[in-house]
Amino acid sequence: MDHIETTPIDLIRDKTFIDKYFNVIIKRELKADINVDNEYIVAQNIISRKLILVKTFSEAVMENPELYLLLVSLIHDVNSRILTKEYIIKTLEKK
């Protein structure tokens, strides 16, 4: 079995990449140009001590079910380490 090198996302250093990735996905999926940079923050999980993204959704996001669910899903993918830095960069290059 081949070993694939992946670089984990550094939530503080790579926040700009994450912001751009979220915006690209929202534009592609919802056909909307919405900046969601301020809809989440980086915080430390109390139990695991790992950095995670925490929802700080505005009323505008809360009132838009499609945007809300997409953001929840994207944040989950980052927090569960499903997304890699390489995947985010490839997605941004394709946009």
Side-chain angles (χ1 to χ4, degrees), residues 9 11 41 43 50-55 72-83:
I9 300 170
L11 296 183
I41 60 170
K50 292 181 181 179
L51 292 178
I52 59 171
L53 295 183
V54 177
K55 300 177 287 193
V72 167
S73 175
L74 291 169
I75 289 171
H76 174 271
D77 288 351
V78 170
N79 288 340
S80 61
R81 309 300 192 250
I82 292 172
L83 288 176

Side-chain angles (χ1 to χ4, degrees), residues 19-81:
D19 294 342
K20 289 177 183 178
Y21 174 77
F22 282 10
N23 291 331
V24 165
I25 298 299
I26 289 167
K27 190 171 195 170
R28 184 174 69 199
E29 297 292 323
L30 303 180
K31 315 250 184 302
D33 196 12
I34 302 169
N35 185 342
V36 294
D37 299 355
N38 296 318
E39 301 293 343
Y40 52 90
I41 60 170
V42 176
Q44 188 176 45
N45 183 300
I46 296 170
I47 296 171
S48 70
R49 301 282 185 212
K50 292 181 181 179
L51 292 178
I52 59 171
L53 295 183
V54 177
K55 300 177 287 193
T56 59
F57 293 165
S58 64
E59 196 169 314
V61 170
M62 297 298 287
E63 292 174 350
N64 184 335
E66 290 177 329
L67 179 58
Y68 174 84
L69 290 174
L70 183 56
L71 270 176
V72 167
S73 175
L74 291 169
I75 289 171
H76 174 271
D77 288 351
V78 170
N79 288 340
S80 61
R81 309 300 192 250

